[in-house]
Amino acid sequence: MRILLSNDDGFRAPGLEALHQALQEVATVKVVAPEHNNSAKSNSLTLTAPLYVQQAANGFTYVNGTPADCVHIALTGMLAEHELPDLVVSGINNGANMGDDTIYSGTVGAAMEGYLFGVPAVAFSLVDKGWAHLDAAAKRCAELVRSLMPLTHGQAHTAPWLLNVNLPNRPYTELGALQWTRLGRRHAAQRVMTQDNPRGETMYWIGAAGEARDATPGTDFHATAQGQVSITPLQVDLTDHDRLPYWRALLPPTESPR
Ligand code: MN
């Protein structure tokens, strides 16, 4: 099996290194990751500047772009046909990607880019920042990838899938069971912070993410708070299917002008 591994924290991030190490025993792993931290870049693509691909001394490939750029260029020409992955893996991220985070997450964005190109994909995040118990998380991630192998491309072909995994920072023996979850919800983010720069101009800093609002049983927030490993299947269709009939009734289609 071939894995394309990326992240959003950049190619020097400990989470990428640890996951690469752990996945070595499962598959052939190619790393294509952003040069710099691209957290919260979602699925952003760089359309207004050229992208450059470079090799780090440790063999990782890095790109002066976003997580989605990395996966996009890898899948659309950078990799040779025989190098194309059976699975796209992203992470391990420094911090949770649960609930509303998934909309903003570059970690999820990298995985989603693979999914959009028809490759099964999984995003991994450590709930608390600071890399505590990273090796335990990487080991669990690799075990999960191994169990997903029969569901990837080269094997029994299924429609592509996209999974979002969040692991609590715990020693390996204290990591709970895998729990299938739905995304919880967060409160709106905290207020923007302002500071003056040395020239007296106001700088704005985006505030921290909101606290969990829906962390009820069944959610990713709840599972990780119990010490379990949360796994949520994601989809990309943003259509509000439930309210489509409501809108149709409210604003009936008009005759198209001829
Ligand atoms: Mn990140």
Side-chain angles (χ1 to χ4, degrees), residues 90 99 119 172 185 212 225 232 243:
S90 181
V119 184
Y172 184 78
R185 292 300 308 273
T232 308
R243 270 197 281 192

Short mmCIF file of all heavy atoms in Angstrom, two decimals, residues 90 99 119 172 185 212 225 232 243:
data_model
loop_
_atom_site.label_atom_id
_atom_site.label_comp_id
_atom_site.label_asym_id
_atom_site.label_seq_id
_atom_site.Cartn_x
_atom_site.Cartn_y
_atom_site.Cartn_z
N SER A 90 -3.39 12.63 6.82
CA SER A 90 -2.99 13.97 7.24
C SER A 90 -2.82 14.01 8.75
O SER A 90 -3.63 13.48 9.50
CB SER A 90 -4.05 14.97 6.78
OG SER A 90 -3.69 16.29 7.15
N GLY A 99 -15.92 19.06 15.81
CA GLY A 99 -17.03 19.99 15.61
C GLY A 99 -16.73 20.96 14.48
O GLY A 99 -16.26 20.58 13.41
N VAL A 119 -9.58 9.54 -3.66
CA VAL A 119 -8.70 8.69 -2.85
C VAL A 119 -9.23 8.67 -1.42
O VAL A 119 -9.49 9.73 -0.84
CB VAL A 119 -7.25 9.23 -2.87
CG1 VAL A 119 -6.32 8.29 -2.11
CG2 VAL A 119 -6.77 9.44 -4.30
N TYR A 172 -0.24 5.09 25.84
CA TYR A 172 -0.84 4.08 24.97
C TYR A 172 -1.82 3.18 25.71
O TYR A 172 -2.92 2.92 25.23
CB TYR A 172 0.26 3.23 24.32
CG TYR A 172 -0.26 2.24 23.35
CD1 TYR A 172 -0.64 2.62 22.07
CD2 TYR A 172 -0.39 0.89 23.70
CE1 TYR A 172 -1.14 1.70 21.16
CE2 TYR A 172 -0.89 -0.03 22.81
CZ TYR A 172 -1.27 0.38 21.54
OH TYR A 172 -1.77 -0.54 20.66
N ARG A 185 -20.68 20.60 18.20
CA ARG A 185 -20.71 22.01 17.77
C ARG A 185 -19.95 22.84 18.79
O ARG A 185 -19.90 22.52 19.96
CB ARG A 185 -22.16 22.53 17.69
CG ARG A 185 -23.02 21.91 16.59
CD ARG A 185 -22.50 22.12 15.18
NE ARG A 185 -22.20 23.51 14.85
CZ ARG A 185 -23.09 24.38 14.36
NH1 ARG A 185 -24.34 24.01 14.19
NH2 ARG A 185 -22.73 25.61 14.05
N ALA A 212 -16.91 24.00 23.50
CA ALA A 212 -17.89 23.07 22.94
C ALA A 212 -19.30 23.46 23.40
O ALA A 212 -19.52 23.79 24.56
CB ALA A 212 -17.57 21.65 23.38
N ALA A 225 -13.38 13.37 25.54
CA ALA A 225 -13.40 13.73 26.97
C ALA A 225 -13.43 12.48 27.84
O ALA A 225 -12.99 12.50 28.99
CB ALA A 225 -14.60 14.63 27.27
N THR A 232 -14.96 10.10 13.01
CA THR A 232 -16.17 10.62 12.39
C THR A 232 -16.06 10.52 10.88
O THR A 232 -15.12 11.06 10.30
CB THR A 232 -16.37 12.11 12.75
OG1 THR A 232 -16.29 12.30 14.16
CG2 THR A 232 -17.72 12.62 12.24
N ARG A 243 -33.88 21.53 4.27
CA ARG A 243 -34.62 22.77 4.03
C ARG A 243 -34.81 23.09 2.55
O ARG A 243 -35.38 24.12 2.21
CB ARG A 243 -33.93 23.94 4.74
CG ARG A 243 -34.48 24.09 6.16
CD ARG A 243 -34.16 25.42 6.74
NE ARG A 243 -32.78 25.44 7.21
CZ ARG A 243 -32.27 26.40 7.97
NH1 ARG A 243 -33.00 27.43 8.32
NH2 ARG A 243 -31.03 26.34 8.36
#
